[in-house]
Amino acid sequence: QVQLVESGGGLVKPGGSLRLSCAASGFTFSDYYMSWIRQAPGKGLESVSYISSSSSYTDYADSVKGRFTISRDNAKNSLYLQMNSLRGDDTAVYYCARGTRDTSGWLYFFDYWGQGTLVTVSS
Amino acid sequence: QSVLTQPPSVSGAPGQRVTISCTGSSSNIGARYDVHWYQQLPGTAPKLLIYGNNNRPSGVPDRFSGSKSGTSASLAITGLQAEDEADYYCQSYDSSLSGYVFGNGTKVTVL
């Protein structure tokens, strides 16, 4: 069965850095587009970043552009999110999610999600 | 302010039918991009409920159905059950923002 397990969250001071990881299993990781989606405490969902199956394409929400970097290692079935210059409004649960193409053939929906890892940015 | 607008809450008695609207614009739902729906039970990760406007993944009861028209989409839950108490989010793509967008979420309460 498909499993996505995030790790790497924790408490970090403003301006600090953190690297999140997502270990995938139960499917051919290298065939799938992957995404990070976050949820601030008591708030809704926000798409943070996504990466194509071969890493040839990445994109970021404006709120994290220039500070976060998404990457993947298909040999290790792993997805990463390097977060630098962290701010208070980055505090959230970060979910790793698998993307599957929708009827357009070039857009995606998120069919499997990990359990999330909490990132708290506070002094 | 979310690009896709949902009512903050809806409620219904067990067995009733409730609907959740997701209102967008010409740069997302109105541009004919697919709408997808997710269910988030308390304290858990979101789970895919409806994809491609009206398709259910295997294992999702047929009490859940989706529809889309113009710049809006809807999720209907018929035969409401206690275990349906959760937050529900719609999702689509927005060409003006060049990214995936979610609705603000709707909390369903079973009375």
Side-chain angles (χ1 to χ4, degrees):
Chain A
Q1 71 284 18
V2 173
Q3 271 204 305
L4 298 169
V5 180
E6 302 93 336
S7 60
L11 175 63
V12 61
K13 289 181 167 53
S17 297
L18 216 52
R19 188 195 196 207
L20 305 184
S21 299
C22 171
S25 61
F27 65 103
T28 305
F29 181 72
S30 58
D31 285 347
Y32 285 87
Y33 170 111
M34 297 296 295
S35 181
W36 289 99
I37 297 164
R38 70 183 179 184
Q39 186 171 34
K43 302 295 185 183
L45 301 168
E46 179 188 17
S47 176
V48 173
S49 181
Y50 41 95
I51 186 167
S52 63
S53 57
S54 64
S55 303
S56 59
Y57 181 79
T58 61
D59 203 3
Y60 302 89
D62 286 345
S63 57
V64 306
K65 207 168 284 187
R67 300 187 299 121
F68 290 11
T69 302
I70 192 171
S71 62
R72 63 190 296 161
D73 185 335
N74 287 344
K76 294 183 178 179
N77 292 337
S78 293
L79 176 73
Y80 306 102
L81 187 68
Q82 177 66 43
M83 304 187 295
N84 299 331
S85 303
L86 283 161
R87 311 185 306 219
D89 59 359
D90 294 318
T91 295
V93 173
Y94 285 73
Y95 295 103
C96 160
R98 189 180 85 167
T100 291
R101 289 185 195 275
D102 69 12
T103 58
S104 71
W106 65 279
L107 295 174
Y108 296 82
F109 59 92
F110 308 107
D111 57 353
Y112 288 94
W113 299 58
Q115 86 289 348
T117 187
L118 176 62
V119 171
T120 303
V121 183
S122 175
S123 54
Chain B
Q1 196 80 345
S2 295
V3 171
L4 303 180
T5 302
Q6 300 177 231
S9 63
V10 299
S11 61
Q16 283 192 328
R17 179 180 188 269
V18 297
T19 60
I20 300 169
S21 60
C22 174
T23 303
S25 67
S26 59
S27 62
N28 41 69
I29 298 175
R32 301 189 180 183
Y33 297 124
D34 280 357
V35 177
H36 319 289
W37 291 89
Y38 303 88
Q39 177 193 57
Q40 187 174 31
L41 295 170
T44 70
K47 167 193 158 187
L48 179 66
L49 195 65
I50 296 286
Y51 67 94
N53 306 315
N54 55 15
N55 300 288
R56 282 176 287 106
S58 60
V60 173
D62 59 7
R63 304 184 292 103
F64 295 92
S65 62
S67 63
K68 188 180 93 165
S69 178
T71 58
S72 294
S74 290
L75 174 72
I77 311 174
T78 57
L80 194 63
Q81 298 183 6
E83 61 256 37
D84 299 333
E85 277 208 343
D87 293 324
Y88 294 82
Y89 294 90
C90 58
Q91 178 246 313
S92 187
Y93 179 83
D94 190 282
S95 57
S96 295
L97 298 173
S98 297
Y100 297 100
V101 289
F102 288 91
N104 49 295
T106 298
K107 181 175 183 58
V108 169
T109 301
V110 182
L111 301 172

